[in-house]
Amino acid sequence: MSVKIGENIDLGNFPLLLAPMEDVSDPPFRYVCKKNGVDMMYTEFISSEGLIRDAAKSRQKLDIFEYERPIGIQIFGSEIDHMRQAAEISAQAGPDLIDINYGCPVKNVACRGAGASLLQDIDKMVKMTKAVVDATDLPVTVKTRLGWDDSTKNVYEVAERLQDIGIKALSIHGRTRAQMYKGEADWSMIRDVKRNPRIQIPIFGNGDIDSVEKAAAWRQEYEVDGIMIGRAAIGYPWIFREVKHFFETGERLEGPTIAERVDVCRTHLTKSIEWKGPKTGIFEMRRHYANYFKGIPNFKEYRMQLVSLQSVEEINEVLADIEHNFISEVI
């Protein structure tokens, strides 16, 4: 049975979603993930305060492209009225949905009353969500965590109350805010939310999916409507095509060749420069090289070159060198 968000977003029978990640899931990264089969994506999370103040960085994050659809714009904030305004501004950019971040655990978000902080005040979370739902005709979805800490795991209440005021899907990261990204994600509570007979909206599981086998096993074990993959896709967008292939055939797809790694890395770089300009595009790409070539022997020397070069021509020469020198390596 097809998974639907609202009336119009049909994601097929078991969608793979790209988690919104700050400083990662920008349009260049989303492009290479889309090429590898991801079913739905989100922007990096965008500050409601930044949107209202018309901050250039926040506005730029609203950039979305037709080939990315369906795509959601994710917003976060601590003031209810500002979140309402941010939803109106975001809707004008033409996304397929608006997503609210109630999951970000980092200090400068959660300690300012936004992100996962709202897990400490469910009444405020409900009011904020209702303000966003009322501000737009687009479907509104939410991403959150199990709770603030081990003594306040309140995702059951969150799921019911947010569904009651009109959200159309819920993504749950299987950790509390206190856990940050440490320890193992606990998906058993995500399964319990899904099994709740009151819950009718799609429930997506997030946290620790880093292999084809885990995706397949957890699909069965935890009964979610789809899975959201984040960190495992950084430098490895092929995870989406590999998981899909495994679901369809039961067989593991061969990993990318060195030539493919170089090709996708080069595409990512090109898109980065197109979107941000040469200086920023080259600089921001530096965080991705080590991930694209993880496992290549003696890669450190190449990495040192890639993160120091200023021109795209020189970077492409190093990438061509990598392809030439490691073409026979299996990693």
Side-chain angles (χ1 to χ4, degrees):
M1 201 167 94
S2 242
V3 175
K4 294 187 82 171
I5 296 178
E7 298 294 315
N8 301 319
I9 304 174
D10 188 331
L11 297 176
N13 69 347
F14 191 83
L16 304 180
L17 290 69
L18 174 66
M21 293 176 283
E22 173 70 349
D23 291 332
V24 176
S25 49
D26 57 13
F29 179 72
R30 298 199 303 262
Y31 180 87
V32 296
C33 289
K34 189 71 176 181
K35 286 286 183 189
N36 280 282
V38 70
D39 294 300
M40 192 163 103
M41 306 187 291
Y42 304 82
T43 62
E44 300 169 76
F45 70 175
I46 308 176
S47 159
S48 56
E49 305 299 322
L51 286 178
I52 291 166
R53 291 199 313 272
D54 207 19
K57 190 178 178 190
S58 295
R59 286 282 176 166
Q60 190 186 30
K61 287 181 182 178
L62 291 173
D63 285 357
I64 54 177
F65 299 89
E66 280 304 310
Y67 62 78
E68 298 185 292
R69 296 190 186 281
I71 183 153
I73 288 176
Q74 191 187 69
I75 57 175
F76 75 98
S78 59
E79 299 292 329
I80 292 172
D81 193 54
H82 291 181
M83 285 290 281
R84 179 188 59 75
Q85 292 177 57
E88 291 170 350
I89 293 165
S90 298
Q92 290 168 11
D96 298 284
L97 60 87
I98 304 288
D99 189 75
I100 307 173
N101 181 306
Y102 293 136
C104 180
V106 300
K107 209 169 184 178
N108 67 356
V109 173
C111 293
R112 291 181 182 168
S117 176
L118 276 300
L119 286 162
Q120 299 176 102
D121 188 347
I122 306 303
D123 289 345
K124 182 178 178 182
M125 180 193 281
V126 169
K127 285 178 189 156
M128 182 179 284
T129 307
K130 186 165 190 331
V132 171
V133 169
D134 290 347
T136 177
D137 293 331
L138 294 170
V140 174
T141 62
V142 162
K143 183 165 192 276
T144 191
R145 288 182 167 234
L146 302 178
W148 179 255
D149 56 27
D150 280 346
S151 62
T152 56
K153 289 182 177 176
N154 46 17
V155 72
Y156 305 138
E157 179 188 353
V158 166
E160 288 193 359
R161 292 183 67 184
L162 296 189
Q163 175 184 267
D164 289 350
I165 53 153
I167 71 163
K168 302 301 183 189
L170 179 65
S171 300
I172 305 169
H173 182 106
R175 289 182 173 87
T176 62
R177 187 271 169 173
Q179 283 179 277
M180 302 294 284
Y181 295 99
K182 298 185 180 77
E184 288 185 1
D186 174 10
W187 281 49
S188 60
M189 289 183 71
I190 306 176
R191 178 178 55 206
D192 292 343
V193 171
K194 179 61 195 168
R195 284 179 174 175
N196 179 349
R198 277 203 61 211
I199 296 297
Q200 302 298 314
I201 58 174
I203 301 296
F204 302 122
N206 174 230
D208 292 356
I209 293 283
D210 57 8
S211 70
V212 165
E213 291 80 9
K214 200 180 275 188
W218 289 14
R219 174 184 184 175
Q220 296 300 320
E221 187 175 349
Y222 296 111
E223 303 165 24
V224 289
D225 294 295
I227 56 178
M228 180 180 274
I229 297 174
R231 288 173 292 169
I234 300 173
Y236 204 86
W238 303 278
I239 192 166
F240 297 106
R241 78 173 185 190
E242 289 178 12
V243 169
K244 284 193 162 178
H245 184 80
F246 193 82
F247 286 168
E248 286 161 15
T249 66
E251 294 172 3
R252 198 182 166 100
L253 197 63
E254 284 288 316
T257 62
I258 294 293
E260 274 187 285
R261 287 172 182 263
V262 169
D263 183 53
V264 172
C265 181
R266 195 177 276 135
T267 299
H268 192 163
L269 172 65
T270 302
K271 290 286 176 186
S272 190
I273 290 167
E274 282 174 10
W275 187 56
K276 301 168 185 166
K279 190 178 177 186
T280 308
I282 287 170
F283 178 75
E284 293 197 356
M285 190 64 194
R286 290 175 180 175
R287 64 172 71 104
H288 292 285
Y289 295 124
N291 292 303
Y292 273 117
F293 299 106
K294 201 178 283 179
I296 289 182
N298 307 314
F299 181 67
K300 190 175 179 186
E301 191 182 317
Y302 288 105
R303 184 179 167 277
M304 298 303 287
Q305 291 181 61
L306 289 168
V307 300
S308 62
L309 295 172
Q310 308 283 334
S311 88
V312 69
E313 292 79 17
E314 290 173 316
I315 293 168
N316 277 325
E317 280 175 26
V318 174
L319 290 174
D321 259 8
I322 292 168
E323 185 173 358
H324 175 73
N325 291 334
F326 292 108
I327 202 77
S328 60
E329 297 278 355
V330 178
I331 58 172

